[in-house]
Amino acid sequence: MAVEALEVLATFQGDEAFPIEWEPGEAELFWVLDDLHCPNPLSPLYFDLGGWWLTCDHMFRRFATPFAADWVAKNVNGYLYTAAIPADPSVRPEANEFQARYAPRVPHDPEYPAKMGAYLGFVLPHYAGNFLDWWRDRLRPEIERNFAYLDGYDTHGASLVELVVLFEDALDVHDRHWKIHWMLNFAQFSATMALNATVAEVKGEADPALLGRLQSSIEDRNWDSIEVLWQMKEEIKGDDELREAFRGETAADVIRSLEGSERGGRFLDERLSPYRQEFGYKAIWSHEFSFPTWKESPAPIVEAVRGYLETDYDFAAAIKAVRDDLAAAQAELFDGVPDGDGKDRLRQALELSLRMNPLTPDHHFFIDQGTNARVRLAAIAIGRKLVEAGALDDQEDVFYLRYNELRLLAADPEAFDARTIVSDRRDEREQQALVRPPQWIGTATEEALAFPYWSLWGFPEKFHRAPPEKVDEVHGLGASPGVVEGVARSVASLDEFDQVQEGEILVCQMTNPAWVVLFTKIAGLVTDAGGVAAHPAVVAREFGIPAVVGTSVATERIKSGDRVRVNGTSGVVEVLR
């Protein structure tokens, strides 16, 4: 069915505050602001190299999904918008990758969605039942071999041409890993949707809070990372010399104190350095290459450990609470369900879904953050050489170049005036950061809003949500049940992590695993972005913290120091001030 034949619910083609330039075929699509992955203005290099969207056609083809055939991106005033391409031959927009134009993939056969639905239903249960084994036995080892190659490369001793080729290798690895990501993600997503559908069939209206609790994981790399930080905390807690070093005013003070003693040096070598190597491939925003990783700087790790010391975080108690709540949620699920076919189907759907739970944090650890971090580090290595060649002032400037500009500059450091280009684009990005982009643009239809993955961004609820009647309320999605009242702490950058105090309500655009260290001290969470299955919602449920996500305006309406009441069940945040 052609997009133009569908009933249009609303359109936004741009205005004076947010002008939009449309290419043929774009305005008819429904574009969602990707504040889930990239809440900040994009760097030129990141958009050119391509993010998660460029491998989505692989997922849609592999599973023969009837609801989409491709996923494309558009840079609008510096912000990332993405649109799902229907499996419809009449839809013909254009897209870009590596500064090259391509046509998004759509089937030739207009009957493809109707015909291939049977295939999707045929293979999905097999993926759900086996993917965890494939991941452990075959796919994760493949990823780890690629990481070993990239991590073991002597970037400081390599020539510029060797680093350029390494960068291309990293991009190939990125492409392969994201194809794995989408196989994993859709298999898991489908297992969760199948459980939700079975619950609705067997029990009637499903409780969203209960379904969310059933997605918790207790064995994954995220918990491994937290456990190692906790072990560091326990070692410091029992050592007077280390404890004194960690009383430094800043992370830099702590590191200097540690470097100044034999005991401190041993802690750095035996604890901090191994942690950076194993768990340091993450940044405050993992989907944008321009943010430094924990591998490059130990400061975030030090601040995380200091936070654990302040709260005397108890890892064993935390993991037990998640395990107990998961068991209680399972018992609640079966409460009142009589023996028979319905209960058997419910048990089978639950078992398949639970098997996939660890893959949410694990795929982010290895792909979203781990793979993207390696691409960043390869680009930074080129940046260092270009600084030595006099073409750039700072290694970070590479992210303000376009893909082909970077390659041209590597081949000839005097090819063009890179410094002026970088300066202009840095200024432009700073100006873009002052803009509040709309949550969607283009053309909204019921069919477009029904795209299953939009739930991760809080749609269609966001589209249909009426503005709050009270000026002192912020409305979002209830993501983790409970009600909590406390002082708000708005956080926009890694540098502000150490300002978060125990018992405060964290207010931010979005979270990813780099933010998990804050969950050990906060009492509640409010985000601009995300849906009930997105990272902040899942982690808040694991930590038992009331959370409201997908508000769109929390960071604009709530300031640090405001007193707020967060209702993680209703999705309402009251600003009490």
Side-chain angles (χ1 to χ4, degrees), residues 26 29 32 84 99 169 233 246 259-260 300 305 331 347 445 497:
E26 289 184 338
L29 297 173
V32 167
Q99 289 190 266
D169 287 343
K233 178 271 266 190
F246 270 81
E259 291 173 338
V305 174
R347 181 177 290 108
T445 65
F497 274 25

Side-chain angles (χ1 to χ4, degrees), residues 316-505:
I319 201 74
K320 181 181 184 301
V322 177
R323 183 180 290 108
D324 290 348
D325 184 69
L326 185 57
Q330 293 178 61
E332 185 177 336
L333 178 68
F334 288 102
D335 185 41
V337 179
D339 292 338
D341 177 66
K343 191 171 188 176
D344 292 341
R345 288 190 295 113
L346 186 59
R347 181 177 290 108
Q348 182 180 25
L350 176 63
E351 289 175 355
L352 287 176
S353 181
L354 290 175
R355 277 175 57 83
M356 301 293 276
N357 283 1
L359 295 181
T360 294
D362 277 358
H363 87 257
H364 202 293
F365 177 85
F366 285 100
I367 302 172
D368 296 55
Q369 64 185 38
T371 301
N372 284 2
R374 268 78 177 190
V375 174
R376 169 187 160 81
L377 294 175
I380 283 291
I382 296 174
R384 286 197 299 267
K385 289 291 185 181
L386 291 175
V387 171
E388 293 174 8
L392 296 175
D393 292 325
D394 188 285
Q395 63 184 17
E396 301 280 342
D397 290 347
V398 293
F399 300 110
Y400 289 91
L401 298 175
R402 307 293 298 274
Y403 170 64
N404 283 326
E405 289 172 346
L406 176 60
R407 301 202 299 174
L408 179 59
L409 198 63
D412 179 6
E414 298 182 356
F416 57 91
D417 181 4
R419 284 187 175 87
T420 298
I421 290 175
V422 167
S423 177
D424 290 345
R425 288 177 182 166
R426 193 186 296 276
D427 291 343
E428 182 183 26
R429 195 177 182 203
E430 291 176 358
Q431 288 301 310
Q432 290 167 342
L434 302 177
V435 174
R436 173 69 67 165
Q439 290 295 302
W440 65 273
I441 60 175
T443 303
T445 65
E446 288 289 359
E447 288 78 4
L449 287 167
F451 177 55
Y453 271 98
W454 286 148
S455 64
L456 295 175
W457 283 263
F459 285 91
E461 291 86 354
K462 275 187 178 181
F463 179 83
H464 294 295
R465 185 168 66 211
E469 296 180 0
K470 299 179 181 179
V471 70
D472 55 357
E473 284 186 355
V474 172
H475 291 188
L477 304 174
S480 183
V483 179
V484 64
E485 185 176 316
V487 176
R489 177 67 62 180
S490 183
V491 174
S493 71
L494 195 65
D495 295 337
E496 297 171 351
F497 274 25
D498 61 348
Q499 298 176 15
V500 179
Q501 303 299 309
E502 185 174 4
E504 290 186 329
I505 309 298

Side-chain angles (χ1 to χ4, degrees), residues 222-356:
N222 191 44
W223 282 115
D224 292 345
S225 172
I226 293 172
E227 183 177 14
V228 175
L229 288 172
W230 170 75
Q231 290 170 349
M232 285 193 228
K233 178 271 266 190
E234 288 293 293
E235 182 175 337
I236 298 164
K237 183 180 172 183
D239 188 297
D240 292 342
E241 188 173 347
L242 292 179
R243 206 163 55 246
E244 182 61 31
F246 270 81
R247 289 195 178 100
E249 186 173 339
T250 67
D253 293 335
V254 173
I255 293 170
R256 276 193 295 270
S257 294
L258 292 172
E259 291 173 338
S261 72
E262 186 275 333
R263 178 67 183 95
R266 196 165 73 249
F267 181 86
L268 291 173
D269 292 340
E270 296 176 357
R271 290 292 198 178
L272 209 59
S273 293
Y275 185 91
R276 290 172 67 184
Q277 182 56 42
E278 186 170 4
F279 298 108
Y281 292 92
K282 57 185 172 186
I284 186 170
W285 302 117
S286 298
H287 289 270
E288 166 59 71
F289 301 140
S290 63
F291 292 96
T293 65
W294 292 24
K295 176 74 166 57
E296 297 164 81
S297 169
I301 306 170
V302 170
E303 295 297 352
V305 174
R306 293 203 321 171
Y308 281 39
L309 283 166
E310 291 173 10
T311 61
D312 198 15
Y313 175 66
D314 188 338
F315 174 80
I319 201 74
K320 181 181 184 301
V322 177
R323 183 180 290 108
D324 290 348
D325 184 69
L326 185 57
Q330 293 178 61
E332 185 177 336
L333 178 68
F334 288 102
D335 185 41
V337 179
D339 292 338
D341 177 66
K343 191 171 188 176
D344 292 341
R345 288 190 295 113
L346 186 59
R347 181 177 290 108
Q348 182 180 25
L350 176 63
E351 289 175 355
L352 287 176
S353 181
L354 290 175
R355 277 175 57 83
M356 301 293 276

Side-chain angles (χ1 to χ4, degrees), residues 48-130:
D48 280 356
L49 297 182
W52 51 267
W53 61 90
L54 286 171
T55 45
C56 291
D57 66 293
H58 169 76
M59 169 181 69
F60 296 136
R61 177 199 59 77
R62 181 159 182 148
F63 289 98
T65 58
F67 49 79
D70 209 338
W71 212 332
V72 296
K74 182 176 178 64
N75 186 336
V76 187
N77 301 320
Y79 289 90
L80 177 61
Y81 285 83
T82 68
I85 302 297
D88 179 353
S90 70
V91 180
R92 296 178 178 271
E94 292 183 349
N96 295 277
E97 177 183 12
F98 300 124
Q99 289 190 266
R101 184 177 64 196
Y102 74 90
R105 292 79 169 171
V106 293
H108 290 292
D109 184 359
E111 300 301 318
Y112 176 88
K115 290 178 180 177
M116 297 306 293
Y119 178 81
L120 177 65
F122 175 62
V123 300
L124 265 184
H126 187 68
Y127 274 83
N130 292 278

Side-chain angles (χ1 to χ4, degrees), residues 472-489 503-508 522-527 540 544-551 554 558 562-576:
D472 55 357
E473 284 186 355
V474 172
H475 291 188
L477 304 174
S480 183
V483 179
V484 64
E485 185 176 316
V487 176
R489 177 67 62 180
E504 290 186 329
I505 309 298
L506 175 62
V507 180
C508 59
I522 61 175
L525 173 69
V526 185
T527 70
I545 297 168
V548 174
V549 302
T551 66
I558 303 172
D562 288 347
R563 190 158 191 86
V564 298
R565 182 181 296 118
V566 178
N567 189 322
T569 303
S570 69
V572 175
V573 181
E574 298 174 73
V575 184
L576 308 174

Side-chain angles (χ1 to χ4, degrees), residues 6-22:
L6 303 176
E7 181 181 356
V8 175
L9 301 177
T11 63
F12 179 74
Q13 309 298 327
D15 56 23
E16 186 176 341
F18 198 78
I20 305 173
E21 294 182 9
W22 296 101

